[in-house]
């Protein structure tokens, strides 16, 4: 049977869906895996340890190479279900004079955590993200990020990240715990704005990247 992405190729996207938008209750999902969570499994075709993961979408604010306003984060595969990344704080990222904005740091953590999906061949979006700002981060600092999956429970992927300054073994300046939720490619096709979806689907590189996630044996 044709893949869902293949079925959608060439078919105009007619509406922005709202399947996931509801009068949701505040999430009660804890940020630590439950006792019956399972260990994450590194996909046999996951990028090799040390390999650059690349951007999942060229216009992504976190990792997109064609996004002029973005963070241009580049993550590398770790040996397990973990990734590392570096993010340099620029003047455009300030909150207070000479210091990084906390929301920008949270985005860097979120993006690093988001790239863990490459290693499991799972598409997942952030459900909950809790950040802790341990120390101020000055402009020009290189933040050394490290993220790992701590457990999987159904579609819920529990993960944590740290951002260190002064080197990969330096003191922790920021950290985060998160729950990502596995979704299918339809999540984006049904909810994204038509203009960008059509452009993405016309880009063979983008389609190849999305297809890489559709087979998850
Ligand atoms: C051509 C195009 C190609 C594109 C190729 C892109 C490829 C790769 C993209 C990667 C991108 C990453 C980029 C960086 C990370 C973001 O920035 S992602 C963007 C920010 N996040 C979002 O926009 C998510 C918005 N929220 C939603 O869409 C929906 O609420 C969700 C998360 C999909 C969940 O909705 P749902 O599928 O209806 O979930 P539901 O069945 O109710 O719940 C399933 C389970 O998850 C739990 N859960 C649901 N919501 C939450 C929540 N918010 N918190 C905690 N737990 C939750 C439920 O309690 C339930 O648990 P169990 O009962 O099974 O124990």
């Amino acid at each position: 049977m044709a893949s869902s992405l293949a079925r959608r190729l060439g078919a105009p996207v007619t509406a922005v869906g709202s399947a996931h938008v509801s009068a949701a209750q505040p999430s009660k999902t804890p940020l630590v895996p439950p006792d019956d969570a399972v260990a994450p499994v590194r996909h046999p075709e996951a990028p090799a340890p040390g390999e650059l993961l690349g951007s999942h979408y060229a216009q992504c604010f976190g990792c997109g190479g064609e996004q002029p306003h973005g963070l241009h984060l580049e993550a590398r595969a770790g040996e397990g279900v973990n990734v590392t990344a570096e993010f340099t704080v620029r003047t455009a990222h300030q909150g207070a004079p000479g210091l990084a904005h906390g929301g920008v740091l949270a985005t860097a953590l979120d993006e690093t955590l988001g790239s863990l999906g490459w290693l499991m061949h799972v598409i997942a979006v952030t459900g909950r993200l809790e950040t802790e700002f341990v120390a101020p981060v000055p402009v020009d600092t290189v933040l050394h990020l490290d993220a790992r999956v701590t457990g999987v429970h159904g579609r819920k992927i529990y993960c944590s990240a740290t951002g260190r300054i002064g080197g990969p073994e330096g003191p922790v300046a920021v950290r985060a715990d998160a729950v990502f939720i596995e979704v299918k490619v339809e999540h984006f096709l049904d909810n994204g704005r038509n203009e960008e979806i059509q452009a993405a689907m016309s880009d063979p590189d983008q389609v190849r990247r999305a297809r890489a996630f559709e087979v998850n044996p």
Side-chain angles (χ1 to χ4, degrees):
M1 196 164 74
S3 72
S4 57
L5 185 59
R7 283 198 304 275
R8 295 295 291 264
L9 281 171
V13 179
T14 51
V16 172
S18 56
H20 300 292
V21 181
S22 62
Q25 300 292 313
S27 170
K28 297 280 193 295
T29 308
L31 289 162
V32 287
D35 289 344
D36 56 345
V38 296
V41 177
R42 201 179 202 281
H43 193 278
E45 290 171 24
E51 200 175 303
L52 272 178
L53 298 179
S55 167
H56 61 258
Y57 172 43
Q59 292 294 329
C60 172
F61 181 77
C63 66
E66 294 172 21
Q67 175 50 264
H69 308 293
L71 305 186
H72 301 282
L73 209 93
E74 290 191 327
R76 282 181 194 278
E79 299 205 345
V81 188
N82 64 304
V83 298
T84 56
E86 288 183 7
F87 164 56
T88 303
V89 178
R90 308 285 182 198
T91 50
H93 304 142
Q94 292 174 95
L99 290 176
H101 194 293
V104 172
L105 299 175
T107 303
L109 288 159
D110 187 23
E111 182 62 38
T112 309
L113 289 159
S115 65
L116 288 165
W118 285 109
L119 301 180
M120 299 190 292
H121 279 218
V122 162
I123 309 180
V125 292
T126 324
R128 286 196 67 194
L129 174 74
E130 185 175 293
T131 49
E132 187 180 346
F133 302 95
V134 182
V137 180
V139 170
D140 276 348
T141 298
V142 178
L143 200 60
H144 297 265
L145 295 145
D146 187 311
R148 63 193 58 247
V149 177
T150 54
V152 177
H153 189 256
R155 291 170 53 210
K156 300 190 297 298
I157 300 164
Y158 294 82
C159 42
S160 298
T162 54
R164 296 172 184 269
I165 53 179
E169 307 301 326
V172 172
V174 287
R175 58 180 316 284
D177 295 308
V179 182
F180 278 62
I181 313 297
E182 182 179 350
V183 294
K184 298 297 176 200
V185 76
E186 282 82 0
H187 171 88
F188 306 98
L189 300 177
D190 293 346
N191 293 295
R193 194 170 68 161
N194 192 31
E195 191 181 333
E196 284 80 9
I197 290 292
Q198 289 295 345
M201 306 260 286
S202 312
D203 175 355
D205 278 346
Q206 181 64 57
V207 171
R208 204 176 309 117
R209 269 172 271 166
R211 273 194 174 140
F213 288 99
E214 283 211 310
V215 183
N216 184 31

PDB file of all heavy atoms in Angstrom, residues 34-58:
ATOM      1  N   PRO A  34       7.087   6.303  33.553  1.00  0.00           N
ATOM      2  CA  PRO A  34       6.429   5.428  34.521  1.00  0.00           C
ATOM      3  C   PRO A  34       7.199   4.114  34.667  1.00  0.00           C
ATOM      4  O   PRO A  34       8.067   3.802  33.853  1.00  0.00           O
ATOM      5  CB  PRO A  34       5.040   5.190  33.907  1.00  0.00           C
ATOM      6  CG  PRO A  34       5.222   5.442  32.447  1.00  0.00           C
ATOM      7  CD  PRO A  34       6.327   6.445  32.310  1.00  0.00           C
ATOM      8  N   ASP A  35       6.876   3.356  35.705  1.00  0.00           N
ATOM      9  CA  ASP A  35       7.608   2.111  35.984  1.00  0.00           C
ATOM     10  C   ASP A  35       7.562   1.140  34.809  1.00  0.00           C
ATOM     11  O   ASP A  35       8.511   0.384  34.596  1.00  0.00           O
ATOM     12  CB  ASP A  35       7.027   1.423  37.235  1.00  0.00           C
ATOM     13  CG  ASP A  35       7.379   2.203  38.496  1.00  0.00           C
ATOM     14  OD1 ASP A  35       8.292   3.061  38.421  1.00  0.00           O
ATOM     15  OD2 ASP A  35       6.723   1.975  39.531  1.00  0.00           O
ATOM     16  N   ASP A  36       6.459   1.126  34.057  1.00  0.00           N
ATOM     17  CA  ASP A  36       6.362   0.162  32.951  1.00  0.00           C
ATOM     18  C   ASP A  36       6.819   0.755  31.608  1.00  0.00           C
ATOM     19  O   ASP A  36       6.530   0.199  30.551  1.00  0.00           O
ATOM     20  CB  ASP A  36       4.941  -0.420  32.839  1.00  0.00           C
ATOM     21  CG  ASP A  36       3.882   0.657  32.687  1.00  0.00           C
ATOM     22  OD1 ASP A  36       4.181   1.853  32.945  1.00  0.00           O
ATOM     23  OD2 ASP A  36       2.750   0.320  32.278  1.00  0.00           O
ATOM     24  N   ALA A  37       7.550   1.854  31.658  1.00  0.00           N
ATOM     25  CA  ALA A  37       8.148   2.386  30.423  1.00  0.00           C
ATOM     26  C   ALA A  37       9.237   1.429  29.957  1.00  0.00           C
ATOM     27  O   ALA A  37       9.814   0.696  30.769  1.00  0.00           O
ATOM     28  CB  ALA A  37       8.741   3.772  30.674  1.00  0.00           C
ATOM     29  N   VAL A  38       9.519   1.447  28.655  1.00  0.00           N
ATOM     30  CA  VAL A  38      10.579   0.580  28.128  1.00  0.00           C
ATOM     31  C   VAL A  38      11.769   1.431  27.709  1.00  0.00           C
ATOM     32  O   VAL A  38      11.639   2.641  27.483  1.00  0.00           O
ATOM     33  CB  VAL A  38      10.078  -0.270  26.925  1.00  0.00           C
ATOM     34  CG1 VAL A  38       8.979  -1.227  27.364  1.00  0.00           C
ATOM     35  CG2 VAL A  38       9.610   0.613  25.771  1.00  0.00           C
ATOM     36  N   ALA A  39      12.913   0.766  27.589  1.00  0.00           N
ATOM     37  CA  ALA A  39      14.128   1.479  27.166  1.00  0.00           C
ATOM     38  C   ALA A  39      13.998   1.850  25.683  1.00  0.00           C
ATOM     39  O   ALA A  39      13.420   1.094  24.900  1.00  0.00           O
ATOM     40  CB  ALA A  39      15.347   0.594  27.376  1.00  0.00           C
ATOM     41  N   PRO A  40      14.520   3.003  25.303  1.00  0.00           N
ATOM     42  CA  PRO A  40      14.462   3.383  23.884  1.00  0.00           C
ATOM     43  C   PRO A  40      15.337   2.464  23.042  1.00  0.00           C
ATOM     44  O   PRO A  40      16.342   1.945  23.531  1.00  0.00           O
ATOM     45  CB  PRO A  40      15.013   4.810  23.889  1.00  0.00           C
ATOM     46  CG  PRO A  40      15.893   4.876  25.098  1.00  0.00           C
ATOM     47  CD  PRO A  40      15.267   3.976  26.117  1.00  0.00           C
ATOM     48  N   VAL A  41      14.940   2.263  21.784  1.00  0.00           N
ATOM     49  CA  VAL A  41      15.707   1.394  20.885  1.00  0.00           C
ATOM     50  C   VAL A  41      16.285   2.242  19.757  1.00  0.00           C
ATOM     51  O   VAL A  41      15.565   2.971  19.071  1.00  0.00           O
ATOM     52  CB  VAL A  41      14.801   0.284  20.295  1.00  0.00           C
ATOM     53  CG1 VAL A  41      15.587  -0.568  19.292  1.00  0.00           C
ATOM     54  CG2 VAL A  41      14.231  -0.582  21.409  1.00  0.00           C
ATOM     55  N   ARG A  42      17.602   2.124  19.585  1.00  0.00           N
ATOM     56  CA  ARG A  42      18.276   2.822  18.487  1.00  0.00           C
ATOM     57  C   ARG A  42      17.924   2.101  17.196  1.00  0.00           C
ATOM     58  O   ARG A  42      18.144   0.882  17.080  1.00  0.00           O
ATOM     59  CB  ARG A  42      19.791   2.790  18.731  1.00  0.00           C
ATOM     60  CG  ARG A  42      20.575   3.848  17.993  1.00  0.00           C
ATOM     61  CD  ARG A  42      22.061   3.717  18.350  1.00  0.00           C
ATOM     62  NE  ARG A  42      22.785   4.957  18.103  1.00  0.00           N
ATOM     63  CZ  ARG A  42      23.180   5.354  16.901  1.00  0.00           C
ATOM     64  NH1 ARG A  42      22.937   4.598  15.849  1.00  0.00           N
ATOM     65  NH2 ARG A  42      23.817   6.505  16.763  1.00  0.00           N
ATOM     66  N   HIS A  43      17.383   2.816  16.217  1.00  0.00           N
ATOM     67  CA  HIS A  43      16.979   2.197  14.958  1.00  0.00           C
ATOM     68  C   HIS A  43      18.216   1.665  14.229  1.00  0.00           C
ATOM     69  O   HIS A  43      19.261   2.338  14.224  1.00  0.00           O
ATOM     70  CB  HIS A  43      16.256   3.225  14.086  1.00  0.00           C
ATOM     71  CG  HIS A  43      15.549   2.622  12.919  1.00  0.00           C
ATOM     72  ND1 HIS A  43      16.185   2.302  11.736  1.00  0.00           N
ATOM     73  CD2 HIS A  43      14.253   2.255  12.751  1.00  0.00           C
ATOM     74  CE1 HIS A  43      15.316   1.786  10.892  1.00  0.00           C
ATOM     75  NE2 HIS A  43      14.127   1.745  11.481  1.00  0.00           N
ATOM     76  N   PRO A  44      18.121   0.466  13.604  1.00  0.00           N
ATOM     77  CA  PRO A  44      19.294  -0.089  12.916  1.00  0.00           C
ATOM     78  C   PRO A  44      19.849   0.840  11.836  1.00  0.00           C
ATOM     79  O   PRO A  44      21.040   0.784  11.517  1.00  0.00           O
ATOM     80  CB  PRO A  44      18.781  -1.398  12.300  1.00  0.00           C
ATOM     81  CG  PRO A  44      17.355  -1.544  12.691  1.00  0.00           C
ATOM     82  CD  PRO A  44      16.972  -0.444  13.611  1.00  0.00           C
ATOM     83  N   GLU A  45      18.987   1.679  11.267  1.00  0.00           N
ATOM     84  CA  GLU A  45      19.473   2.608  10.225  1.00  0.00           C
ATOM     85  C   GLU A  45      19.670   4.023  10.762  1.00  0.00           C
ATOM     86  O   GLU A  45      19.728   4.984   9.986  1.00  0.00           O
ATOM     87  CB  GLU A  45      18.508   2.605   9.042  1.00  0.00           C
ATOM     88  CG  GLU A  45      18.551   1.295   8.271  1.00  0.00           C
ATOM     89  CD  GLU A  45      17.451   1.184   7.236  1.00  0.00           C
ATOM     90  OE1 GLU A  45      16.942   2.220   6.795  1.00  0.00           O
ATOM     91  OE2 GLU A  45      17.111   0.042   6.897  1.00  0.00           O
ATOM     92  N   ALA A  46      19.784   4.142  12.062  1.00  0.00           N
ATOM     93  CA  ALA A  46      20.042   5.470  12.641  1.00  0.00           C
ATOM     94  C   ALA A  46      21.410   5.968  12.188  1.00  0.00           C
ATOM     95  O   ALA A  46      22.318   5.165  11.925  1.00  0.00           O
ATOM     96  CB  ALA A  46      19.996   5.380  14.165  1.00  0.00           C
ATOM     97  N   PRO A  47      21.588   7.283  12.100  1.00  0.00           N
ATOM     98  CA  PRO A  47      22.907   7.810  11.751  1.00  0.00           C
ATOM     99  C   PRO A  47      23.976   7.281  12.716  1.00  0.00           C
ATOM    100  O   PRO A  47      23.707   7.077  13.899  1.00  0.00           O
ATOM    101  CB  PRO A  47      22.732   9.324  11.904  1.00  0.00           C
ATOM    102  CG  PRO A  47      21.257   9.550  11.806  1.00  0.00           C
ATOM    103  CD  PRO A  47      20.598   8.326  12.352  1.00  0.00           C
ATOM    104  N   ALA A  48      25.161   7.056  12.175  1.00  0.00           N
ATOM    105  CA  ALA A  48      26.252   6.516  12.988  1.00  0.00           C
ATOM    106  C   ALA A  48      26.656   7.524  14.064  1.00  0.00           C
ATOM    107  O   ALA A  48      26.492   8.739  13.877  1.00  0.00           O
ATOM    108  CB  ALA A  48      27.446   6.219  12.085  1.00  0.00           C
ATOM    109  N   PRO A  49      27.203   7.019  15.180  1.00  0.00           N
ATOM    110  CA  PRO A  49      27.672   7.938  16.226  1.00  0.00           C
ATOM    111  C   PRO A  49      28.630   8.974  15.655  1.00  0.00           C
ATOM    112  O   PRO A  49      29.534   8.638  14.879  1.00  0.00           O
ATOM    113  CB  PRO A  49      28.380   6.999  17.211  1.00  0.00           C
ATOM    114  CG  PRO A  49      27.721   5.675  17.013  1.00  0.00           C
ATOM    115  CD  PRO A  49      27.363   5.613  15.559  1.00  0.00           C
ATOM    116  N   GLY A  50      28.403  10.221  16.002  1.00  0.00           N
ATOM    117  CA  GLY A  50      29.259  11.308  15.520  1.00  0.00           C
ATOM    118  C   GLY A  50      28.756  11.966  14.246  1.00  0.00           C
ATOM    119  O   GLY A  50      29.203  13.051  13.881  1.00  0.00           O
ATOM    120  N   GLU A  51      27.814  11.315  13.566  1.00  0.00           N
ATOM    121  CA  GLU A  51      27.324  11.854  12.287  1.00  0.00           C
ATOM    122  C   GLU A  51      26.400  13.048  12.524  1.00  0.00           C
ATOM    123  O   GLU A  51      25.569  13.027  13.449  1.00  0.00           O
ATOM    124  CB  GLU A  51      26.550  10.744  11.557  1.00  0.00           C
ATOM    125  CG  GLU A  51      26.401  10.968  10.071  1.00  0.00           C
ATOM    126  CD  GLU A  51      25.728   9.756   9.403  1.00  0.00           C
ATOM    127  OE1 GLU A  51      26.267   8.638   9.543  1.00  0.00           O
ATOM    128  OE2 GLU A  51      24.683   9.937   8.777  1.00  0.00           O
ATOM    129  N   LEU A  52      26.566  14.068  11.683  1.00  0.00           N
ATOM    130  CA  LEU A  52      25.651  15.214  11.750  1.00  0.00           C
ATOM    131  C   LEU A  52      24.269  14.763  11.309  1.00  0.00           C
ATOM    132  O   LEU A  52      24.136  14.065  10.304  1.00  0.00           O
ATOM    133  CB  LEU A  52      26.133  16.331  10.831  1.00  0.00           C
ATOM    134  CG  LEU A  52      27.127  17.347  11.387  1.00  0.00           C
ATOM    135  CD1 LEU A  52      27.515  18.336  10.294  1.00  0.00           C
ATOM    136  CD2 LEU A  52      26.540  18.097  12.595  1.00  0.00           C
ATOM    137  N   LEU A  53      23.241  15.188  12.040  1.00  0.00           N
ATOM    138  CA  LEU A  53      21.889  14.719  11.723  1.00  0.00           C
ATOM    139  C   LEU A  53      21.265  15.512  10.587  1.00  0.00           C
ATOM    140  O   LEU A  53      20.380  15.025   9.892  1.00  0.00           O
ATOM    141  CB  LEU A  53      20.995  14.805  12.961  1.00  0.00           C
ATOM    142  CG  LEU A  53      21.449  13.934  14.131  1.00  0.00           C
ATOM    143  CD1 LEU A  53      20.512  14.112  15.312  1.00  0.00           C
ATOM    144  CD2 LEU A  53      21.504  12.475  13.720  1.00  0.00           C
ATOM    145  N   GLY A  54      21.660  16.742  10.425  1.00  0.00           N
ATOM    146  CA  GLY A  54      21.037  17.570   9.397  1.00  0.00           C
ATOM    147  C   GLY A  54      19.715  18.131   9.890  1.00  0.00           C
ATOM    148  O   GLY A  54      19.195  17.733  10.934  1.00  0.00           O
ATOM    149  N   SER A  55      19.189  19.039   9.103  1.00  0.00           N
ATOM    150  CA  SER A  55      17.941  19.701   9.494  1.00  0.00           C
ATOM    151  C   SER A  55      16.741  18.858   9.070  1.00  0.00           C
ATOM    152  O   SER A  55      16.766  18.241   8.011  1.00  0.00           O
ATOM    153  CB  SER A  55      17.890  21.059   8.789  1.00  0.00           C
ATOM    154  OG  SER A  55      16.603  21.606   8.887  1.00  0.00           O
ATOM    155  N   HIS A  56      15.680  18.829   9.913  1.00  0.00           N
ATOM    156  CA  HIS A  56      14.472  18.113   9.482  1.00  0.00           C
ATOM    157  C   HIS A  56      13.627  18.965   8.551  1.00  0.00           C
ATOM    158  O   HIS A  56      12.751  18.467   7.866  1.00  0.00           O
ATOM    159  CB  HIS A  56      13.639  17.640  10.687  1.00  0.00           C
ATOM    160  CG  HIS A  56      13.145  18.733  11.553  1.00  0.00           C
ATOM    161  ND1 HIS A  56      13.732  19.062  12.753  1.00  0.00           N
ATOM    162  CD2 HIS A  56      12.129  19.610  11.399  1.00  0.00           C
ATOM    163  CE1 HIS A  56      13.095  20.070  13.289  1.00  0.00           C
ATOM    164  NE2 HIS A  56      12.116  20.434  12.483  1.00  0.00           N
ATOM    165  N   TYR A  57      13.907  20.309   8.536  1.00  0.00           N
ATOM    166  CA  TYR A  57      13.137  21.208   7.677  1.00  0.00           C
ATOM    167  C   TYR A  57      13.976  22.475   7.514  1.00  0.00           C
ATOM    168  O   TYR A  57      14.369  23.091   8.514  1.00  0.00           O
ATOM    169  CB  TYR A  57      11.777  21.503   8.339  1.00  0.00           C
ATOM    170  CG  TYR A  57      10.930  22.550   7.679  1.00  0.00           C
ATOM    171  CD1 TYR A  57      10.781  22.592   6.297  1.00  0.00           C
ATOM    172  CD2 TYR A  57      10.236  23.489   8.432  1.00  0.00           C
ATOM    173  CE1 TYR A  57       9.980  23.553   5.695  1.00  0.00           C
ATOM    174  CE2 TYR A  57       9.432  24.452   7.851  1.00  0.00           C
ATOM    175  CZ  TYR A  57       9.304  24.469   6.465  1.00  0.00           C
ATOM    176  OH  TYR A  57       8.522  25.418   5.871  1.00  0.00           O
ATOM    177  N   ALA A  58      14.252  22.849   6.275  1.00  0.00           N
ATOM    178  CA  ALA A  58      15.193  23.942   6.014  1.00  0.00           C
ATOM    179  C   ALA A  58      14.767  25.271   6.631  1.00  0.00           C
ATOM    180  O   ALA A  58      15.597  26.135   6.898  1.00  0.00           O
ATOM    181  CB  ALA A  58      15.385  24.101   4.510  1.00  0.00           C
TER     182      ALA A  58
END
